[in-house]
Coordinates of all heavy atoms in Angstrom, one line a residue:
M1101 N -2.7 -19.3 -72.8 CA -3.8 -19.2 -71.9 C -5.1 -19.0 -72.6 O -5.2 -18.1 -73.5 CB -3.5 -18.2 -70.8 CG -4.7 -18.0 -69.8 SD -4.3 -16.7 -68.7 CE -3.9 -17.7 -67.3
T1102 N -6.2 -19.7 -72.3 CA -7.4 -19.6 -72.9 C -8.2 -18.4 -72.2 O -8.2 -18.4 -71.0 CB -8.3 -20.9 -72.8 OG1 -7.5 -21.9 -73.4 CG2 -9.6 -20.7 -73.5
A1103 N -8.8 -17.6 -73.0 CA -9.6 -16.5 -72.4 C -10.8 -17.1 -71.7 O -11.3 -18.1 -72.1 CB -10.1 -15.5 -73.5
A1104 N -11.3 -16.4 -70.7 CA -12.5 -16.8 -70.0 C -13.7 -16.8 -70.9 O -13.8 -15.9 -71.7 CB -12.7 -15.9 -68.8
L1105 N -14.5 -17.8 -70.8 CA -15.7 -17.9 -71.6 C -16.9 -17.3 -70.9 O -17.0 -17.4 -69.7 CB -16.0 -19.4 -71.9 CG -14.9 -20.1 -72.8 CD1 -15.2 -21.6 -72.8 CD2 -14.9 -19.5 -74.2
P1106 N -17.8 -16.7 -71.6 CA -19.0 -16.2 -71.0 C -19.7 -17.3 -70.3 O -19.7 -18.4 -70.7 CB -19.8 -15.6 -72.2 CG -18.8 -15.4 -73.3 CD -17.7 -16.4 -73.1
D1107 N -20.5 -16.9 -69.2 CA -21.2 -17.9 -68.5 C -22.2 -18.7 -69.3 O -22.5 -19.9 -69.0 CB -21.9 -17.3 -67.3 CG -21.0 -16.8 -66.2 OD1 -19.8 -17.3 -66.2 OD2 -21.3 -15.8 -65.5
D1108 N -22.8 -18.1 -70.3 CA -23.8 -18.8 -71.1 C -23.2 -19.8 -72.0 O -23.9 -20.6 -72.7 CB -24.7 -17.8 -71.8 CG -24.0 -16.9 -72.8 OD1 -22.7 -16.9 -72.8 OD2 -24.6 -16.3 -73.6
L1109 N -21.9 -19.9 -72.2 CA -21.2 -21.0 -72.9 C -21.0 -22.1 -72.0 O -19.9 -22.5 -71.6 CB -19.9 -20.5 -73.6 CG -20.1 -19.5 -74.7 CD1 -18.8 -19.0 -75.2 CD2 -20.9 -20.1 -75.9
S1110 N -22.1 -22.8 -71.6 CA -22.0 -23.6 -70.4 C -22.0 -25.1 -70.7 O -21.8 -25.9 -69.8 CB -23.3 -23.3 -69.5 OG -24.5 -23.6 -70.3
V1111 N -22.2 -25.5 -72.0 CA -22.2 -26.9 -72.3 C -21.0 -27.4 -73.0 O -20.6 -26.8 -74.0 CB -23.5 -27.3 -73.2 CG1 -23.5 -28.7 -73.5 CG2 -24.7 -26.9 -72.5
S1112 N -20.3 -28.3 -72.4 CA -19.1 -28.9 -73.1 C -19.6 -29.9 -74.1 O -20.3 -30.9 -73.8 CB -18.3 -29.7 -72.0 OG -17.4 -30.6 -72.7
W1113 N -19.3 -29.7 -75.4 CA -19.7 -30.6 -76.4 C -19.1 -32.0 -76.2 O -19.8 -33.0 -76.3 CB -19.4 -30.1 -77.8 CG -19.9 -31.0 -78.9 CD1 -19.1 -31.9 -79.6 CD2 -21.2 -31.2 -79.3 NE1 -19.9 -32.6 -80.5 CE2 -21.2 -32.2 -80.3 CE3 -22.5 -30.6 -79.0 CZ2 -22.4 -32.6 -81.0 CZ3 -23.6 -31.0 -79.7 CH2 -23.6 -32.0 -80.6
R1114 N -17.8 -32.1 -75.9 CA -17.2 -33.3 -75.7 C -17.7 -34.0 -74.5 O -17.9 -35.3 -74.5 CB -15.6 -33.2 -75.6 CG -15.0 -32.5 -76.8 CD -15.2 -33.4 -78.1 NE -14.6 -32.6 -79.2 CZ -15.2 -32.6 -80.4 NH1 -16.3 -33.2 -80.7 NH2 -14.6 -31.9 -81.4
G1115 N -18.0 -33.3 -73.4 CA -18.7 -33.9 -72.3 C -20.0 -34.4 -72.6 O -20.4 -35.5 -72.1
L1116 N -20.8 -33.7 -73.4 CA -22.1 -34.2 -73.8 C -21.9 -35.5 -74.6 O -22.6 -36.5 -74.3 CB -22.8 -33.1 -74.7 CG -24.1 -33.5 -75.3 CD1 -25.1 -33.8 -74.2 CD2 -24.6 -32.3 -76.2
E1117 N -21.0 -35.5 -75.6 CA -20.8 -36.8 -76.3 C -20.3 -37.9 -75.4 O -20.7 -39.0 -75.6 CB -19.7 -36.5 -77.4 CG -20.1 -35.7 -78.6 CD -19.0 -35.5 -79.5 OE1 -17.8 -35.2 -79.1 OE2 -19.3 -35.5 -80.8
A1118 N -19.5 -37.6 -74.4 CA -19.1 -38.6 -73.5 C -20.2 -39.3 -72.7 O -20.1 -40.4 -72.2 CB -18.0 -38.1 -72.6
R1119 N -21.3 -38.5 -72.4 CA -22.4 -39.0 -71.7 C -23.3 -39.9 -72.5 O -24.0 -40.7 -72.0 CB -23.2 -37.9 -71.0 CG -22.4 -37.2 -69.9 CD -23.3 -36.2 -69.1 NE -23.6 -35.0 -69.9 CZ -22.8 -34.0 -70.0 NH1 -21.6 -34.0 -69.4 NH2 -23.2 -32.9 -70.7
V1120 N -23.2 -39.8 -73.8 CA -24.0 -40.7 -74.7 C -23.3 -42.0 -74.8 O -22.1 -42.1 -75.1 CB -24.1 -40.0 -76.1 CG1 -24.9 -40.9 -77.1 CG2 -24.8 -38.7 -76.0
P1121 N -24.0 -43.1 -74.6 CA -23.4 -44.4 -74.7 C -22.8 -44.6 -76.1 O -23.4 -44.2 -77.1 CB -24.5 -45.4 -74.5 CG -25.5 -44.6 -73.7 CD -25.4 -43.2 -74.2
L1122 N -21.6 -45.2 -76.2 CA -20.9 -45.3 -77.4 C -21.7 -45.9 -78.5 O -21.7 -45.4 -79.7 CB -19.6 -46.2 -77.2 CG -18.6 -46.2 -78.4 CD1 -18.2 -44.8 -78.8 CD2 -17.4 -47.1 -78.0
D1123 N -22.5 -46.9 -78.2 CA -23.3 -47.6 -79.3 C -24.4 -46.6 -79.8 O -24.9 -46.8 -80.9 CB -24.0 -48.8 -78.7 CG -23.0 -50.0 -78.5 OD1 -21.9 -49.9 -79.0 OD2 -23.4 -50.9 -77.8
D1124 N -24.8 -45.6 -79.0 CA -25.8 -44.7 -79.4 C -25.2 -43.4 -80.1 O -26.0 -42.6 -80.6 CB -26.6 -44.2 -78.2 CG -27.4 -45.4 -77.6 OD1 -27.6 -46.4 -78.2 OD2 -27.8 -45.3 -76.4
L1125 N -23.9 -43.3 -80.0 CA -23.3 -42.0 -80.6 C -23.6 -41.8 -82.0 O -23.9 -40.6 -82.4 CB -21.8 -42.0 -80.2 CG -21.1 -40.7 -80.2 CD1 -21.8 -39.7 -79.3 CD2 -19.7 -40.8 -79.8
P1126 N -23.5 -42.8 -82.9 CA -23.8 -42.5 -84.3 C -25.2 -42.0 -84.5 O -25.4 -41.0 -85.3 CB -23.6 -43.9 -85.0 CG -22.6 -44.6 -84.2 CD -22.9 -44.1 -82.8
A1127 N -26.2 -42.6 -83.8 CA -27.6 -42.1 -84.0 C -27.7 -40.7 -83.4 O -28.4 -39.8 -83.9 CB -28.5 -43.0 -83.2
F1128 N -27.0 -40.4 -82.3 CA -27.0 -39.0 -81.7 C -26.5 -38.0 -82.7 O -27.1 -37.0 -82.9 CB -26.1 -39.1 -80.4 CG -26.0 -37.7 -79.8 CD1 -26.9 -37.2 -79.0 CD2 -24.8 -37.0 -80.0 CE1 -26.8 -36.0 -78.3 CE2 -24.7 -35.7 -79.4 CZ -25.6 -35.2 -78.6
H1129 N -25.3 -38.4 -83.4 CA -24.7 -37.5 -84.4 C -25.7 -37.3 -85.6 O -25.8 -36.2 -86.1 CB -23.4 -37.9 -84.8 CG -22.3 -37.7 -83.8 ND1 -21.2 -38.5 -83.7 CD2 -22.2 -36.7 -82.8 CE1 -20.4 -38.0 -82.7 NE2 -21.0 -37.0 -82.2
R1130 N -26.3 -38.4 -86.0 CA -27.2 -38.2 -87.1 C -28.4 -37.4 -86.7 O -28.9 -36.6 -87.5 CB -27.7 -39.6 -87.6 CG -26.6 -40.3 -88.4 CD -27.1 -41.6 -89.0 NE -26.1 -42.1 -90.0 CZ -25.1 -43.0 -89.7 NH1 -25.0 -43.5 -88.4 NH2 -24.3 -43.4 -90.6
A1131 N -28.9 -37.6 -85.5 CA -30.0 -36.7 -85.0 C -29.6 -35.3 -85.0 O -30.4 -34.4 -85.3 CB -30.5 -37.2 -83.7
F1132 N -28.4 -35.0 -84.6 CA -27.9 -33.6 -84.5 C -27.9 -33.0 -85.9 O -28.3 -31.9 -86.1 CB -26.5 -33.6 -83.9 CG -25.8 -32.3 -84.0 CD1 -26.1 -31.2 -83.2 CD2 -24.7 -32.1 -84.9 CE1 -25.5 -30.0 -83.3 CE2 -24.1 -30.9 -85.0 CZ -24.4 -29.8 -84.2
L1133 N -27.4 -33.8 -86.9 CA -27.3 -33.3 -88.3 C -28.7 -33.0 -88.8 O -29.0 -32.0 -89.5 CB -26.5 -34.2 -89.2 CG -25.0 -34.3 -88.9 CD1 -24.4 -35.4 -89.8 CD2 -24.4 -33.0 -89.0
S1134 N -29.6 -34.0 -88.6 CA -31.0 -33.8 -89.1 C -31.6 -32.6 -88.4 O -32.3 -31.8 -89.1 CB -31.8 -35.0 -88.7 OG -31.4 -36.1 -89.5
W1135 N -31.4 -32.4 -87.1 CA -31.9 -31.2 -86.4 C -31.3 -29.9 -87.0 O -32.0 -28.9 -87.1 CB -31.6 -31.4 -84.9 CG -31.9 -30.2 -84.1 CD1 -33.1 -29.7 -83.7 CD2 -31.0 -29.3 -83.5 NE1 -33.0 -28.6 -82.9 CE2 -31.7 -28.3 -82.7 CE3 -29.6 -29.2 -83.4 CZ2 -31.1 -27.3 -82.0 CZ3 -28.9 -28.2 -82.7 CH2 -29.7 -27.3 -82.0
R1136 N -30.1 -30.0 -87.4 CA -29.4 -28.8 -88.0 C -29.8 -28.6 -89.5 O -29.4 -27.6 -90.1 CB -27.9 -28.9 -87.9 CG -27.4 -28.9 -86.5 CD -27.3 -27.5 -85.9 NE -26.3 -26.7 -86.7 CZ -26.2 -25.4 -86.6 NH1 -27.0 -24.7 -85.8 NH2 -25.3 -24.8 -87.3
G1137 N -30.7 -29.5 -90.0 CA -31.2 -29.3 -91.4 C -30.3 -29.9 -92.5 O -30.5 -29.6 -93.6
V1138 N -29.4 -30.8 -92.1 CA -28.5 -31.5 -93.1 C -29.3 -32.6 -93.7 O -29.7 -33.5 -93.0 CB -27.2 -32.0 -92.4 CG1 -26.4 -32.8 -93.4 CG2 -26.4 -30.8 -91.8
A1139 N -29.5 -32.5 -95.0 CA -30.3 -33.5 -95.7 C -29.5 -34.8 -95.8 O -28.3 -34.8 -96.0 CB -30.7 -33.0 -97.1
G1140 N -30.2 -36.0 -95.7 CA -29.6 -37.3 -95.9 C -28.7 -37.8 -94.8 O -28.0 -38.7 -95.0
A1141 N -28.8 -37.2 -93.6 CA -27.9 -37.6 -92.5 C -28.1 -39.1 -92.2 O -27.1 -39.8 -91.8 CB -28.2 -36.8 -91.3
E1142 N -29.3 -39.6 -92.3 CA -29.6 -41.0 -91.9 C -28.9 -42.0 -92.9 O -28.5 -43.1 -92.4 CB -31.1 -41.3 -91.9 CG -31.8 -40.7 -90.8 CD -31.3 -41.1 -89.4 OE1 -31.1 -42.3 -89.2 OE2 -31.2 -40.2 -88.6
E1143 N -28.6 -41.6 -94.1 CA -28.0 -42.5 -95.1 C -26.5 -42.3 -95.2 O -25.8 -43.0 -95.9 CB -28.6 -42.3 -96.4 CG -30.0 -42.7 -96.5 CD -31.0 -41.6 -96.0 OE1 -30.7 -40.4 -96.1 OE2 -32.0 -42.0 -95.4
M1144 N -25.9 -41.2 -94.5 CA -24.5 -40.9 -94.7 C -23.6 -42.0 -94.0 O -23.9 -42.5 -93.0 CB -24.2 -39.6 -93.9 CG -24.5 -38.4 -94.7 SD -23.9 -37.0 -93.7 CE -24.9 -35.7 -94.5
P1145 N -22.5 -42.3 -94.7 CA -21.5 -43.2 -94.0 C -21.0 -42.5 -92.7 O -20.9 -41.2 -92.6 CB -20.4 -43.3 -95.0 CG -20.9 -42.8 -96.3 CD -22.0 -41.9 -96.0
L1146 N -20.6 -43.3 -91.8 CA -20.2 -42.7 -90.5 C -19.1 -41.7 -90.5 O -19.2 -40.7 -89.9 CB -19.8 -43.9 -89.5 CG -19.5 -43.5 -88.1 CD1 -20.7 -42.8 -87.5 CD2 -19.2 -44.7 -87.3
R1147 N -18.1 -41.9 -91.4 CA -17.0 -40.9 -91.5 C -17.6 -39.6 -92.0 O -17.2 -38.5 -91.5 CB -15.9 -41.4 -92.4 CG -14.8 -40.4 -92.5 CD -13.5 -41.0 -93.2 NE -13.0 -42.2 -92.7 CZ -12.1 -42.2 -91.6 NH1 -11.8 -41.1 -91.0 NH2 -11.7 -43.3 -91.2
R1148 N -18.5 -39.6 -92.9 CA -19.1 -38.4 -93.4 C -19.9 -37.7 -92.3 O -19.9 -36.5 -92.2 CB -19.9 -38.7 -94.7 CG -20.5 -37.5 -95.3 CD -19.5 -36.7 -96.0 NE -20.1 -35.6 -96.7 CZ -19.7 -34.3 -96.6 NH1 -18.6 -34.0 -95.9 NH2 -20.3 -33.3 -97.2
V1149 N -20.6 -38.5 -91.5 CA -21.4 -37.9 -90.4 C -20.4 -37.2 -89.5 O -20.7 -36.1 -89.1 CB -22.1 -39.1 -89.7 CG1 -22.7 -38.5 -88.3 CG2 -23.2 -39.6 -90.5
Q1150 N -19.3 -37.8 -89.2 CA -18.3 -37.1 -88.3 C -17.8 -35.8 -88.9 O -17.7 -34.8 -88.2 CB -17.2 -38.1 -88.0 CG -17.6 -39.3 -87.2 CD -16.5 -40.4 -87.1 OE1 -15.7 -40.6 -88.1 NE2 -16.4 -41.1 -86.0
Q1151 N -17.6 -35.8 -90.2 CA -17.1 -34.6 -90.8 C -18.1 -33.5 -90.8 O -17.8 -32.3 -90.5 CB -16.7 -34.9 -92.3 CG -15.5 -35.8 -92.4 CD -15.3 -36.3 -93.8 OE1 -16.2 -36.3 -94.7 NE2 -14.1 -36.8 -94.1
R1152 N -19.4 -33.9 -91.0 CA -20.5 -32.9 -91.1 C -20.8 -32.4 -89.7 O -21.1 -31.2 -89.5 CB -21.7 -33.5 -91.7 CG -21.7 -33.7 -93.2 CD -21.4 -32.5 -93.9 NE -22.3 -31.4 -93.7 CZ -23.3 -31.0 -94.5 NH1 -23.6 -31.7 -95.6 NH2 -24.1 -30.0 -94.2
V1153 N -20.6 -33.2 -88.6 CA -20.8 -32.7 -87.3 C -19.8 -31.7 -87.0 O -20.1 -30.6 -86.5 CB -20.7 -33.9 -86.2 CG1 -20.6 -33.4 -84.8 CG2 -22.0 -34.8 -86.3
E1154 N -18.5 -31.9 -87.3 CA -17.5 -31.0 -87.1 C -17.7 -29.7 -87.9 O -17.5 -28.6 -87.4 CB -16.1 -31.5 -87.5 CG -15.6 -32.5 -86.4 CD -15.5 -32.0 -85.0 OE1 -15.0 -30.8 -84.8 OE2 -15.9 -32.7 -84.1
A1155 N -18.2 -29.8 -89.1 CA -18.6 -28.6 -89.9 C -19.7 -27.8 -89.2 O -19.6 -26.6 -89.2 CB -19.0 -29.0 -91.3
E1156 N -20.7 -28.5 -88.7 CA -21.8 -27.8 -88.0 C -21.3 -27.1 -86.7 O -21.7 -26.0 -86.4 CB -22.9 -28.7 -87.7 CG -23.7 -29.2 -88.9 CD -24.3 -28.0 -89.8 OE1 -24.9 -27.1 -89.2 OE2 -24.1 -28.0 -91.0
L1157 N -20.4 -27.8 -86.0 CA -19.8 -27.2 -84.8 C -19.0 -25.9 -85.1 O -19.1 -24.9 -84.4 CB -19.0 -28.2 -84.0 CG -19.7 -29.4 -83.5 CD1 -18.8 -30.4 -82.9 CD2 -20.8 -29.0 -82.5
N1158 N -18.3 -26.0 -86.2 CA -17.5 -24.8 -86.7 C -18.4 -23.7 -87.0 O -18.1 -22.5 -86.8 CB -16.6 -25.2 -87.9 CG -15.4 -26.0 -87.5 OD1 -14.9 -25.9 -86.3 ND2 -14.9 -26.8 -88.4
R1159 N -19.6 -24.0 -87.6 CA -20.6 -22.9 -87.9 C -21.0 -22.2 -86.6 O -21.2 -21.0 -86.6 CB -21.8 -23.5 -88.7 CG -21.5 -23.8 -90.1 CD -22.7 -24.1 -90.9 NE -22.4 -24.3 -92.3 CZ -22.2 -25.5 -92.8 NH1 -22.3 -26.6 -92.1 NH2 -21.9 -25.6 -94.1
W1160 N -21.2 -23.0 -85.6 CA -21.6 -22.5 -84.3 C -20.5 -21.5 -83.8 O -20.8 -20.5 -83.2 CB -21.8 -23.6 -83.2 CG -23.2 -24.0 -83.1 CD1 -24.3 -23.4 -83.7 CD2 -23.7 -25.1 -82.4 NE1 -25.5 -24.1 -83.4 CE2 -25.1 -25.1 -82.6 CE3 -23.1 -26.1 -81.6 CZ2 -25.9 -26.1 -82.0 CZ3 -23.9 -27.1 -81.1 CH2 -25.3 -27.1 -81.2
V1161 N -19.2 -21.9 -83.9 CA -18.1 -21.1 -83.5 C -18.1 -19.8 -84.3 O -18.0 -18.7 -83.7 CB -16.8 -21.8 -83.6 CG1 -15.6 -20.8 -83.4 CG2 -16.7 -23.0 -82.7
Q1162 N -18.3 -19.9 -85.6 CA -18.3 -18.7 -86.4 C -19.5 -17.7 -86.1 O -19.4 -16.5 -86.2 CB -18.4 -19.1 -87.9 CG -17.2 -19.7 -88.4 CD -17.3 -20.3 -89.8 OE1 -18.4 -20.4 -90.3 NE2 -16.2 -20.8 -90.3
S1163 N -20.6 -18.3 -85.7 CA -21.8 -17.5 -85.3 C -21.8 -17.0 -83.9 O -22.7 -16.2 -83.5 CB -23.1 -18.3 -85.6 OG -23.2 -19.3 -84.6
G1164 N -20.8 -17.5 -83.1 CA -20.8 -17.0 -81.7 C -21.6 -17.9 -80.8 O -21.7 -17.6 -79.6
E1165 N -22.2 -19.0 -81.3 CA -23.0 -19.9 -80.4 C -22.1 -20.8 -79.6 O -22.6 -21.5 -78.7 CB -24.0 -20.7 -81.3 CG -25.1 -19.9 -82.0 CD -26.0 -19.2 -80.9 OE1 -26.4 -19.8 -80.0 OE2 -26.2 -18.0 -81.1
A1166 N -20.9 -20.9 -80.0 CA -19.9 -21.8 -79.3 C -18.5 -21.1 -79.4 O -18.3 -20.2 -80.2 CB -19.9 -23.1 -79.9
A1167 N -17.6 -21.7 -78.6 CA -16.2 -21.2 -78.6 C -15.3 -22.4 -78.3 O -15.7 -23.3 -77.6 CB -16.0 -20.2 -77.5
R1168 N -14.2 -22.4 -79.0 CA -13.2 -23.5 -78.9 C -12.5 -23.3 -77.5 O -12.2 -22.2 -77.1 CB -12.2 -23.5 -80.0 CG -12.8 -23.8 -81.3 CD -12.6 -25.3 -81.6 NE -13.3 -25.6 -82.9 CZ -13.9 -26.7 -83.1 NH1 -13.9 -27.7 -82.1 NH2 -14.6 -27.0 -84.2
E1169 N -12.3 -24.4 -76.9 CA -11.6 -24.4 -75.6 C -10.7 -25.7 -75.7 O -11.1 -26.8 -75.2 CB -12.5 -24.5 -74.4 CG -11.8 -24.4 -73.1 CD -12.8 -24.4 -72.0 OE1 -13.4 -25.4 -71.7 OE2 -13.1 -23.3 -71.3
G1170 N -9.5 -25.5 -76.2 CA -8.6 -26.7 -76.4 C -9.2 -27.6 -77.4 O -9.7 -27.2 -78.5
E1171 N -9.3 -28.9 -77.0 CA -10.0 -29.9 -77.9 C -11.5 -29.9 -77.8 O -12.2 -30.6 -78.5 CB -9.4 -31.3 -77.5 CG -7.9 -31.5 -77.8 CD -7.7 -31.5 -79.3 OE1 -8.4 -32.1 -80.1 OE2 -6.7 -30.8 -79.7
D1172 N -12.0 -29.1 -76.9 CA -13.4 -29.1 -76.6 C -14.1 -27.9 -77.3 O -13.4 -27.0 -77.8 CB -13.7 -29.1 -75.1 CG -15.1 -29.5 -74.7 OD1 -15.9 -29.8 -75.6 OD2 -15.4 -29.4 -73.5
L1173 N -15.4 -27.9 -77.2 CA -16.2 -26.8 -77.7 C -17.2 -26.5 -76.6 O -17.8 -27.4 -76.0 CB -16.9 -27.3 -78.9 CG -17.5 -26.2 -79.8 CD1 -16.5 -25.5 -80.6 CD2 -18.5 -26.8 -80.7
R1174 N -17.2 -25.2 -76.2 CA -18.2 -24.8 -75.2 C -19.4 -24.2 -76.0 O -19.2 -23.3 -76.8 CB -17.6 -23.8 -74.2 CG -16.4 -24.3 -73.5 CD -16.7 -25.5 -72.6 NE -17.7 -25.1 -71.6 CZ -18.0 -25.9 -70.5 NH1 -17.4 -27.1 -70.4 NH2 -18.9 -25.5 -69.7
V1175 N -20.6 -24.7 -75.8 CA -21.8 -24.3 -76.5 C -22.8 -23.6 -75.6 O -23.0 -24.0 -74.5 CB -22.5 -25.6 -77.1 CG1 -23.7 -25.2 -77.9 CG2 -21.5 -26.4 -77.9
R1176 N -23.4 -22.6 -76.2 CA -24.4 -21.9 -75.5 C -25.6 -22.9 -75.3 O -26.0 -23.5 -76.2 CB -25.0 -20.7 -76.3 CG -24.0 -19.6 -76.4 CD -24.6 -18.4 -77.2 NE -23.6 -17.4 -77.5 CZ -23.1 -16.5 -76.7 NH1 -23.5 -16.5 -75.5 NH2 -22.2 -15.7 -77.2
R1177 N -26.1 -23.0 -74.1 CA -27.2 -23.9 -73.8 C -28.3 -23.6 -74.7 O -29.0 -24.5 -75.2 CB -27.6 -23.9 -72.3 CG -28.6 -24.9 -72.0 CD -28.8 -25.0 -70.5 NE -27.7 -25.7 -69.8 CZ -27.7 -27.0 -69.6 NH1 -28.7 -27.7 -70.1 NH2 -26.7 -27.6 -69.0
A1178 N -28.6 -22.3 -74.9 CA -29.7 -21.9 -75.8 C -29.6 -22.4 -77.2 O -30.6 -22.7 -77.9 CB -29.9 -20.4 -75.8
A1179 N -28.4 -22.6 -77.7 CA -28.2 -23.2 -79.0 C -28.7 -24.6 -79.2 O -29.0 -25.0 -80.3 CB -26.7 -23.1 -79.4
L1180 N -28.8 -25.3 -78.1 CA -29.3 -26.7 -78.1 C -30.8 -26.8 -77.9 O -31.3 -27.9 -77.9 CB -28.6 -27.5 -77.0 CG -27.1 -27.6 -77.2 CD1 -26.4 -28.1 -76.0 CD2 -26.8 -28.6 -78.4
N1181 N -31.5 -25.7 -77.7 CA -32.9 -25.7 -77.6 C -33.6 -26.4 -78.8 O -33.2 -26.0 -79.9 CB -33.5 -24.3 -77.5 CG -33.2 -23.7 -76.1 OD1 -32.8 -24.4 -75.2 ND2 -33.4 -22.4 -76.0
G1182 N -34.4 -27.3 -78.5 CA -35.1 -28.1 -79.6 C -34.3 -29.3 -80.1 O -34.9 -30.1 -80.8
F1183 N -33.1 -29.5 -79.6 CA -32.4 -30.7 -80.0 C -32.7 -31.8 -78.9 O -32.0 -32.0 -77.9 CB -30.9 -30.4 -80.0 CG -30.0 -31.6 -80.4 CD1 -30.5 -32.6 -81.2 CD2 -28.7 -31.7 -79.9 CE1 -29.7 -33.7 -81.6 CE2 -27.9 -32.8 -80.2 CZ -28.4 -33.8 -81.1
E1184 N -33.8 -32.5 -79.2 CA -34.4 -33.4 -78.2 C -33.5 -34.6 -77.9 O -33.5 -35.1 -76.8 CB -35.8 -33.9 -78.6 CG -36.8 -32.8 -78.7 CD -37.0 -32.1 -77.3 OE1 -37.1 -32.8 -76.3 OE2 -37.1 -30.9 -77.2
A1185 N -32.6 -35.0 -78.8 CA -31.7 -36.1 -78.6 C -30.7 -35.8 -77.6 O -30.1 -36.7 -76.9 CB -31.1 -36.6 -79.9
A1186 N -30.4 -34.5 -77.3 CA -29.4 -34.1 -76.3 C -30.0 -34.0 -74.9 O -29.3 -34.1 -73.9 CB -28.8 -32.8 -76.7
R1187 N -31.3 -33.8 -74.9 CA -32.0 -33.5 -73.6 C -31.6 -34.4 -72.5 O -31.3 -34.0 -71.4 CB -33.5 -33.4 -73.8 CG -34.2 -33.0 -72.5 CD -35.6 -32.8 -72.7 NE -35.8 -31.5 -73.3 CZ -36.9 -30.9 -73.4 NH1 -38.0 -31.4 -72.9 NH2 -37.0 -29.7 -74.0
P1188 N -31.7 -35.8 -72.7 CA -31.4 -36.7 -71.6 C -29.9 -36.6 -71.1 O -29.6 -37.0 -69.9 CB -31.6 -38.1 -72.2 CG -32.3 -37.9 -73.4 CD -32.0 -36.5 -73.9
W1189 N -29.1 -36.0 -71.9 CA -27.6 -36.0 -71.5 C -27.1 -34.6 -71.1 O -26.0 -34.4 -70.7 CB -26.8 -36.4 -72.7 CG -27.4 -37.7 -73.3 CD1 -28.0 -37.8 -74.5 CD2 -27.4 -39.0 -72.7 NE1 -28.5 -39.1 -74.7 CE2 -28.1 -39.8 -73.6 CE3 -27.0 -39.5 -71.5 CZ2 -28.3 -41.2 -73.3 CZ3 -27.2 -40.8 -71.2 CH2 -27.8 -41.6 -72.1
L1190 N -28.0 -33.6 -71.1 CA -27.6 -32.2 -70.8 C -27.4 -32.0 -69.3 O -26.6 -31.1 -68.9 CB -28.5 -31.2 -71.4 CG -28.4 -31.0 -72.8 CD1 -29.5 -30.1 -73.3 CD2 -27.1 -30.4 -73.2
D1191 N -28.1 -32.7 -68.5 CA -28.1 -32.3 -67.1 C -27.2 -33.3 -66.2 O -27.6 -33.7 -65.1 CB -29.5 -32.2 -66.5 CG -30.2 -31.0 -67.2 OD1 -29.5 -30.0 -67.3 OD2 -31.3 -31.2 -67.5
G1192 N -26.1 -33.7 -66.8 CA -25.1 -34.4 -66.0 C -25.3 -35.9 -65.8 O -24.9 -36.5 -64.9
A1193 N -26.0 -36.5 -66.8 CA -26.2 -38.0 -66.7 C -24.8 -38.6 -66.7 O -23.9 -38.1 -67.3 CB -27.0 -38.5 -67.9
A1194 N -24.6 -39.6 -66.0 CA -23.3 -40.3 -65.9 C -22.9 -40.8 -67.3 O -23.7 -41.3 -68.0 CB -23.4 -41.4 -64.9
P1195 N -21.6 -40.8 -67.6 CA -21.1 -41.3 -68.8 C -21.5 -42.8 -69.0 O -21.4 -43.6 -68.1 CB -19.6 -41.2 -68.7 CG -19.3 -40.1 -67.8 CD -20.5 -40.2 -66.8
G1196 N -22.1 -43.1 -70.1 CA -22.5 -44.4 -70.5 C -23.9 -44.8 -69.9 O -24.4 -45.9 -70.1
A1197 N -24.5 -43.9 -69.1 CA -25.8 -44.3 -68.5 C -26.9 -44.0 -69.4 O -26.9 -43.1 -70.2 CB -26.0 -43.4 -67.2
H1198 N -27.9 -44.9 -69.4 CA -29.1 -44.7 -70.3 C -30.1 -43.9 -69.5 O -30.3 -44.1 -68.3 CB -29.7 -46.0 -70.6 CG -29.0 -46.7 -71.7 ND1 -29.1 -46.4 -73.1 CD2 -28.0 -47.7 -71.7 CE1 -28.4 -47.1 -73.8 NE2 -27.6 -47.9 -73.0
P1199 N -30.7 -42.9 -70.1 CA -31.7 -42.1 -69.4 C -33.0 -42.9 -69.2 O -33.4 -43.6 -70.1 CB -31.9 -40.9 -70.3 CG -31.6 -41.4 -71.7 CD -30.5 -42.4 -71.5
D1200 N -33.6 -42.9 -68.1 CA -34.8 -43.6 -67.9 C -35.8 -42.7 -67.2 O -35.6 -41.7 -66.6 CB -34.6 -44.8 -66.9 CG -33.8 -45.9 -67.6 OD1 -33.9 -46.0 -68.8 OD2 -33.0 -46.5 -66.9

């Protein structure tokens, strides 16, 4: 049984990714890495980008900004402040919908 998560761990990372259109997901992940200060994210091969995203998410878990919940990660909404690429998808945009 998974322990109850604090209310401020309100953003499902997998849910957020699911709302980003598949064709836009690599750019979303690269924007995330750049926002997190990872140098050279724009030039990284896609597999490396995926590995680095997971590493950054693990850092959030270690720092208490996120918690694992099965295959998902629950992230403190405040941890996403300033990550402009996520903004259109944070408030329940339908999966695959483009923000307008």
Side-chain angles (χ1 to χ4, degrees):
M1101 178 181 256
T1102 304
L1105 295 170
D1107 290 335
D1108 61 347
L1109 291 173
S1110 61
V1111 177
S1112 161
W1113 181 259
R1114 301 299 176 221
L1116 177 60
E1117 287 178 319
R1119 288 188 292 277
V1120 176
L1122 188 57
D1123 289 344
D1124 297 340
L1125 201 53
F1128 176 82
H1129 284 151
R1130 285 186 169 94
F1132 173 72
L1133 292 178
S1134 293
W1135 174 71
R1136 294 283 294 166
V1138 176
E1142 291 300 318
E1143 295 81 33
M1144 277 183 201
L1146 188 53
R1147 182 169 303 278
R1148 183 72 178 129
V1149 168
Q1150 292 168 326
Q1151 291 169 343
R1152 289 302 305 262
V1153 166
E1154 286 302 317
E1156 290 302 313
L1157 296 175
N1158 285 333
R1159 285 191 178 98
W1160 267 350
V1161 171
Q1162 291 170 353
S1163 71
E1165 294 297 315
R1168 293 266 173 216
E1169 186 177 71
E1171 294 292 316
D1172 198 1
L1173 193 77
R1174 301 299 297 190
V1175 180
R1176 292 182 193 282
R1177 187 170 282 274
L1180 295 165
N1181 287 346
F1183 181 32
E1184 293 302 315
R1187 180 175 286 194
W1189 313 110
L1190 283 174
D1191 293 318
H1198 282 278
D1200 290 327

